[in-house]
């Protein structure tokens, strides 16, 4: 088997197994009940995994000269855009929901430890709510009655499922990487560059 694919399978499988195991510990107690003891660490691990996948997947749209001046494909550069592209291309999240989940949850958790009660985005106000496991509520946006505020809901376990499926499922990242047999392809180069930085 190709060395790139072997490395990718090992890295991604270990990370997805860890994500599922650790989030289970964060949102379920020892009896399997959803007591939500640690939702924010669970969400942080989800977003760090999306950031990893975004770095592995990143497609540079700059010209070669712009690319050399700008970013040189650093793992840490442009994390928000890389993650956003991954969520849209592989997790199949609509643009608005992908941007909202970053703004409401990821950015605030990383920088402030807890999201603000209301987030302003695109001239609208969004309140947030996390749910342990409800696929029907995941990424739902509902306008509050008699209010200019919208509720934005995230199902933590649904987010985990979407990440794992986007990486390991049919037409997921790993399958696309395996199908892209040219070692000089953009997808292979992106993986190799990010993998090298992770290994240093």
């Amino acid at each position: 088997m190709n060395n790139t694919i072997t490395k990718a399978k090992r890295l991604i499988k270990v990370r997805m197994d860890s994500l599922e195991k650790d989030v289970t510990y964060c949102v379920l107690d020892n009896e399997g009940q959803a007591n939500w003891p640690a939702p924010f660490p669970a969400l942080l691990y989800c977003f760090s995994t999306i950031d990893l996948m975004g770095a592995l997947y990143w497609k540079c749209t700059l010209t070669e000269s712009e690319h050399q001046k700008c970013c040189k494909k650093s793992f840490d550069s442009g994390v928000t855009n890389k993650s956003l592209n991954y969520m849209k291309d592989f997790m199949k999240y609509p643009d608005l929901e992908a941007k909202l989940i970053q703004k409401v949850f990821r950015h605030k958790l990383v920088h402030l430890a807890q999201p603000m009660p209301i987030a302003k985005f695109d001239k609208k106000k969004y309140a947030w709510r996390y749910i342990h496991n409800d696929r029907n509520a995941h990424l739902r946006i509902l306008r509050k009655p008699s209010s200019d505020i919208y509720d934005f809901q995230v199902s933590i376990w649904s987010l985990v499922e979407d990440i794992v499926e986007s990486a390991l499922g049919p037409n997921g990242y790993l399958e696309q990487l395996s199908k892209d047999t040219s070692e000089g392809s953009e997808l292979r180069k992106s993986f190799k560059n990010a993998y090298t930085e992770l290994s240093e």
Side-chain angles (χ1 to χ4, degrees), residues 152-185:
F152 178 56
Q153 303 172 7
V154 171
S155 166
I156 296 172
W157 192 253
S158 298
L159 180 59
V160 170
E161 290 175 332
D162 291 346
I163 295 167
V164 173
E165 182 71 11
S166 74
L168 301 175
N171 293 315
Y173 172 82
L174 197 53
E175 184 175 302
Q176 293 301 315
L177 188 67
S178 298
K179 287 180 179 176
D180 193 354
T181 56
S182 168
E183 285 300 319
S185 74

Side-chain angles (χ1 to χ4, degrees), residues 16 49-50 53-55 57 81-92 162-163 165-168 172-173:
M16 297 305 144
T49 303
I50 293 169
M53 295 307 300
Y57 165 60
N81 285 333
K82 292 175 187 178
S83 300
L84 181 65
N85 288 335
Y86 184 83
M87 283 191 287
K88 291 181 351 183
D89 292 352
F90 281 97
M91 294 172 70
K92 306 302 182 195
D162 291 346
I163 295 167
E165 182 71 11
S166 74
L168 301 175
Y173 172 82

Side-chain angles (χ1 to χ4, degrees), residues 30-96:
N30 289 331
E31 284 74 46
Q33 299 301 310
N35 290 332
W36 306 339
F40 290 164
L43 285 167
L44 277 169
Y45 199 17
C46 286
F47 291 119
S48 69
T49 303
I50 293 169
D51 289 351
L52 167 67
M53 295 307 300
L56 297 176
Y57 165 60
W58 182 52
K59 297 183 294 188
C60 183
T61 57
L62 301 174
T63 66
E64 189 61 34
S65 62
E66 290 173 329
H67 174 71
Q68 291 302 321
K69 291 178 194 171
C70 172
C71 50
K72 297 188 180 175
K73 293 201 175 176
S74 169
F75 181 83
D76 294 323
S77 67
V79 172
T80 298
N81 285 333
K82 292 175 187 178
S83 300
L84 181 65
N85 288 335
Y86 184 83
M87 283 191 287
K88 291 181 351 183
D89 292 352
F90 281 97
M91 294 172 70
K92 306 302 182 195
Y93 283 7
D95 186 65
L96 173 62

Side-chain angles (χ1 to χ4, degrees), residues 141-155:
I141 300 171
L142 301 169
R143 188 169 187 162
K144 291 182 179 245
S146 305
S147 173
D148 64 344
I149 297 174
Y150 293 81
D151 273 325
F152 178 56
Q153 303 172 7
V154 171
S155 166

